[in-house]
Amino acid sequence: MKQVLTIAGSDSGGGAGIQADLKTMLVHGVYGLSVITALTAQNTMGIDEINVVSPSFVKKQLDCIFADFHISAIKIGMIPNHSIGQTIIEVLKIHKIEAVVVDPVMQSTSQTMLSEQQGCLKLYEELLPFATLVTPNISEGEVLWGKPIHTDKDMEEAAKTIRSKYSCDVLLKGGHKMGEADDVFATNKGIYWLRGKRISCRNNHGTGCTLSSSIASNLAKGDDLMTSVTKAKAYISGALRYDFSIGQGNGPLHHGYSIFN
């Protein structure tokens, strides 16, 4: 069984972060391993507190993982500060992993900032050259591009510029701000639109975490990047379509819909 590592924060509500990643990996038929960068006290109504893990303990987790497992792919989510980012980068320099998917988590669905603003851009400038793919939403894409994104043309230009600047492929997700769930996929072969219908539901907590974990899992199993992204987008659509209401706020999507429906 292929082994996939998630490096991310813990969501006590189970809808995003490490918990969403591991659920997604299980459904995709890979063995998920985790390195936790931060603990969050949260539920469907929002994040109450974030407790950041020390860089030395992040390093200890990483060392233990790589001493015992053969990692086929890595998904990187919440990096709460530059020191932890540097720790991850140093490990990536040593262990040459071919499939690294970075979800640049800067803000939660509940609008809580998850990364320190100061040095956030510098962190991704250093990390993304080690990535196979980065998967920003519109807000994150604006940070990485340095300009507002309002139109389809803006999305294309942003994706193209981010790819050129950071030397990794880009999946710029339009679902958070644009009309339909249309994404731009920028590779060394060109710019592609991945069209999708917007699925109206309030239970969409953890979509970014789940999408990036799905892509990483598909890559680990041998799919090429275009196939991995296309399959992941279809998986997200199903997880949103079969959503269920848990809690009083913005609930999670249904990671295991293919098993239970």
Side-chain angles (χ1 to χ4, degrees):
M1 181 178 284
K2 297 297 184 180
Q3 295 147 54
V4 181
L5 172 63
T6 168
I7 305 172
S10 169
D11 174 1
S12 57
I18 291 288
Q19 287 80 354
D21 297 339
L22 293 177
K23 292 172 187 177
T24 301
M25 291 171 186
L26 179 63
V27 169
H28 282 66
V30 300
Y31 185 81
L33 303 112
S34 62
V35 167
I36 297 176
T37 59
L39 306 173
T40 68
Q42 66 174 294
N43 53 32
T44 62
M45 295 180 286
I47 298 175
D48 282 356
E49 188 174 336
I50 298 174
N51 198 333
V52 176
V53 175
S54 69
S56 62
F57 192 67
V58 171
K59 176 68 161 52
K60 179 62 72 174
Q61 293 177 78
L62 287 164
D63 288 345
C64 285
I65 292 293
F66 281 101
D68 193 31
F69 300 96
H70 179 74
I71 305 301
S72 296
I74 298 177
K75 172 266 170 87
I76 301 175
M78 179 186 177
I79 304 175
N81 58 45
H82 193 266
S83 296
I84 290 176
Q86 283 297 313
T87 299
I88 296 168
I89 290 168
E90 290 305 313
V91 171
L92 292 177
K93 287 178 180 178
I94 297 170
H95 303 281
K96 311 296 185 183
I97 305 299
E98 290 187 7
V100 179
V101 179
V102 175
D103 180 22
V105 180
M106 300 174 190
Q107 192 174 59
S108 72
T109 306
S110 61
Q111 306 306 306
T112 300
M113 294 308 300
L114 298 180
S115 291
E116 292 178 355
Q117 284 289 77
Q118 186 176 10
C120 182
L121 188 56
K122 186 176 188 301
L123 164 63
Y124 287 108
E125 287 175 350
E126 297 169 357
L127 173 64
L128 292 184
F130 294 93
T132 307
L133 178 72
V134 61
T135 62
N137 60 30
I138 293 295
S139 296
E140 293 155 354
E142 289 174 336
V143 173
L144 295 175
W145 188 33
K147 299 179 184 179
I149 298 173
H150 298 298
T151 66
D152 285 358
K153 183 63 175 176
D154 290 341
M155 286 185 69
E156 291 181 358
E157 287 300 317
K160 184 167 61 174
T161 302
I162 293 168
R163 191 194 180 280
S164 175
K165 182 176 180 180
Y166 298 108
S167 303
C168 67
D169 289 346
V170 180
L171 180 67
L172 180 57
K173 303 172 293 187
H176 276 66
K177 278 192 175 181
M178 310 303 277
E180 293 292 349
D182 296 333
D183 307 327
V184 173
F185 185 35
T187 75
N188 63 351
K189 297 179 180 178
I191 301 289
Y192 306 90
W193 277 95
L194 303 179
R195 303 292 183 180
K197 285 288 184 183
R198 179 177 291 278
I199 297 170
S200 179
C201 69
R202 74 167 188 168
N203 299 310
N204 57 6
H205 180 52
T207 50
C209 307
T210 302
L211 179 71
S212 52
S213 293
S214 176
I215 295 169
S217 298
N218 293 332
L219 288 171
K221 293 192 295 183
D223 289 332
D224 62 33
L225 191 52
M226 177 63 86
T227 303
S228 296
V229 168
T230 303
K231 284 183 176 180
K233 190 170 173 64
Y235 169 67
I236 284 289
S237 295
L240 288 168
R241 191 174 295 113
Y242 288 98
D243 73 315
F244 48 69
S245 293
I246 290 180
Q248 303 173 58
N250 178 216
L253 56 166
H254 194 338
H255 296 93
Y257 75 91
S258 60
I259 299 173
F260 298 104
N261 290 281

